[in-house]
Amino acid sequence: MKTKVKKLALVLTTLALVSSCADGSTSNTQSQQSPSAIEVSNSTKTGTTIKIDGSSTVYPITQAIAQEFQASSNNKAQVEVKFSGTTGGFEKFCAGETAVSNASRPILLAEMTACKNNGVGYIELPIAFDALTVAVNPQNTWAKDITVAELKKIWQPAAQGKITRWNQVRASWPDRPLTLYGAGGKSGTFDYFTEAIVGKARASRNDYTASENDEILVDGISKDPNALGYFGYAYYEKHQDKLKALSIDNGRGSVLPSPQAVEKAKYQTLSRPLFIYVNPQSLSNRGILSEFIDFYLKNAPKTVASVGYIPLPDEGYQINSVHFYRSKVGTVFDGKAEMNLTIGELLRKESKC
């Protein structure tokens, strides 16, 4: 009983904290919604389809929760989860074609403008952290770690057609072909990785195998002893038997990607939050979509861990629940990603005035 009282007190304290603050969002105006977005997630309990698209990084979380929701709910609602990359997902979301958008980075200024022009609001809900992973083939016996400077040397636009062999990256590595696999241009992972490593979002060489489908990247690396690529940690966790992760050295010593490294803020540069964005107009009368999002937030900690990502502390999901309940529209990121963000800093951003 005492435990329940303590938990209730914590939720009420969090509610009071968030409610006492100014909105803090970039936009707190809910414009009139085009009919198509409301139709994808209406409030009836029969024949409803909740349409979700966006990040392939976030896809395993949302897909797992969607399957659990459909198995446990007493209604005939269908949850359709697809992936076209974070950028591709926002294109559909801001056009009113989907009710939820999976995102591996915050919404950008251009996307915010597109949503505003189409009368589409968005509730920003961080749901996990990722340790963006640089991986090679297990037959690679020479590379165990790599510096941020070496990654920049490989991936910057000037490297195209020039940095094509392993010994060009580090002299002690063998004179073997270097084949590259990475996120496609509509992927939030592409945006984040290029900004974190090269120093400018979307600044990258183009002579590599690019895909918004991380399974394609995993398959390519697993079959090529000379390969190097990057993708979300869950895909490495799922395929550890056919991949090898490299330790990342950002100047403070090399660190392997892991939940523990992210939680202790040791895997900086490539540690990042993951999000879902919800169209508040599609929450018509707090119907089936509302039930799904409520289910999502309650089950996220367990599901996030089970698919290989890093759950937020309980406080993070409690803040999310308050923001969702209040239909808190907007973003705390001012239309750009923030590098080297820790879990603690994310929570402070979400709860501050």
Side-chain angles (χ1 to χ4, degrees):
M1 182 67 180
K2 289 182 179 180
T3 302
K4 290 184 178 179
V5 171
K6 287 181 180 178
K7 287 184 177 179
L8 177 60
L10 178 58
V11 172
L12 292 174
T13 300
T14 304
L15 178 60
L17 171 65
V18 178
S19 299
S20 65
C21 295
D23 192 331
S25 64
T26 302
S27 169
N28 60 5
T29 302
Q30 294 188 21
S31 304
Q32 290 298 313
Q33 177 68 18
S34 60
S36 59
I38 297 177
E39 288 166 3
V40 296
S41 301
N42 59 47
S43 60
T44 59
K45 298 243 176 178
T46 59
T48 302
T49 298
I50 299 172
K51 293 186 178 182
I52 305 173
D53 206 313
S55 167
S56 63
T57 303
V58 182
Y59 173 83
I61 303 171
T62 302
Q63 175 69 355
I65 289 177
Q67 290 173 347
E68 294 170 18
F69 177 75
Q70 291 180 143
S72 64
S73 69
N74 295 320
N75 58 67
K76 297 180 180 179
Q78 296 297 309
V79 185
E80 179 184 282
V81 187
K82 297 182 179 180
F83 57 85
S84 56
T86 296
T87 301
F90 275 129
E91 288 173 357
K92 296 175 183 178
F93 181 81
C94 292
E97 297 173 11
T98 57
V100 181
S101 202
N102 294 328
S104 61
R105 56 153 174 80
I107 189 169
L108 301 180
L109 283 173
E111 294 158 347
M112 292 161 62
T113 299
C115 278
K116 182 178 180 180
N117 290 342
N118 291 325
V120 176
Y122 46 88
I123 303 172
E124 179 179 79
L125 302 172
I127 44 91
F129 253 72
D130 179 25
L132 214 163
T133 301
V134 178
V136 296
N137 187 285
Q139 294 181 48
N140 181 323
T141 59
W142 57 91
K144 295 181 175 62
D145 59 77
I146 194 165
T147 69
V148 171
E150 287 169 337
L151 284 171
K152 181 177 180 179
K153 186 177 183 180
I154 291 170
W155 287 100
Q156 63 187 339
Q160 183 162 325
K162 297 178 181 178
I163 304 300
T164 59
R165 305 191 73 79
W166 279 93
N167 64 341
Q168 291 177 288
V169 181
R170 188 182 292 184
S172 61
W173 287 344
D175 183 11
R176 297 181 61 147
L178 172 63
T179 52
L180 299 173
Y181 296 80
K186 291 201 171 184
S187 169
T189 297
F190 175 75
D191 296 335
Y192 189 92
F193 183 85
T194 50
E195 186 168 354
I197 297 302
V198 179
K200 182 180 179 182
R202 308 189 68 77
S204 174
R205 66 190 298 168
N206 297 316
D207 54 341
Y208 70 97
T209 299
S211 180
E212 279 77 22
N213 186 340
D214 293 303
E215 291 289 353
I216 290 176
L217 306 179
V218 168
D219 185 63
I221 296 169
S222 70
K223 294 176 179 177
D224 186 349
N226 297 310
L228 176 145
Y230 64 91
F231 37 72
Y233 181 76
Y235 289 89
Y236 165 70
E237 179 81 5
K238 180 181 177 182
H239 299 289
Q240 287 188 61
D241 58 328
K242 50 186 178 182
L243 297 170
K244 184 176 85 170
L246 297 185
S247 296
I248 306 299
D249 188 346
N250 66 357
R252 300 177 183 176
S254 60
V255 179
L256 279 167
S258 71
Q260 295 74 24
V262 172
E263 289 165 358
K264 295 179 181 179
K266 292 184 177 181
Y267 193 71
Q268 292 306 94
T269 305
L270 293 181
S271 175
R272 58 175 178 166
L274 305 176
F275 306 85
I276 60 171
Y277 286 76
V278 182
N279 183 332
Q281 288 87 352
S282 294
L283 298 170
S284 178
N285 299 320
R286 289 283 164 174
I288 192 63
L289 177 60
S290 182
E291 292 179 23
F292 173 68
I293 298 300
D294 183 63
F295 183 90
Y296 196 124
L297 296 177
K298 288 178 180 177
N299 288 273
K302 172 176 62 72
T303 305
V304 164
S306 71
V307 301
Y309 290 120
I310 300 91
L312 302 178
D314 288 344
E315 178 190 356
Y317 297 108
Q318 289 160 357
I319 292 172
N320 274 340
S321 294
V322 172
H323 288 177
F324 177 63
Y325 177 78
R326 294 177 58 224
S327 290
K328 184 176 182 289
V329 177
T331 174
V332 300
F333 287 89
D334 299 321
K336 59 182 182 296
E338 187 171 327
M339 303 297 108
N340 296 312
L341 192 70
T342 67
I343 292 176
E345 288 167 346
L346 173 68
L347 296 184
R348 286 192 288 275
K349 284 178 75 71
E350 290 293 327
S351 63
K352 72 180 181 180
C353 293

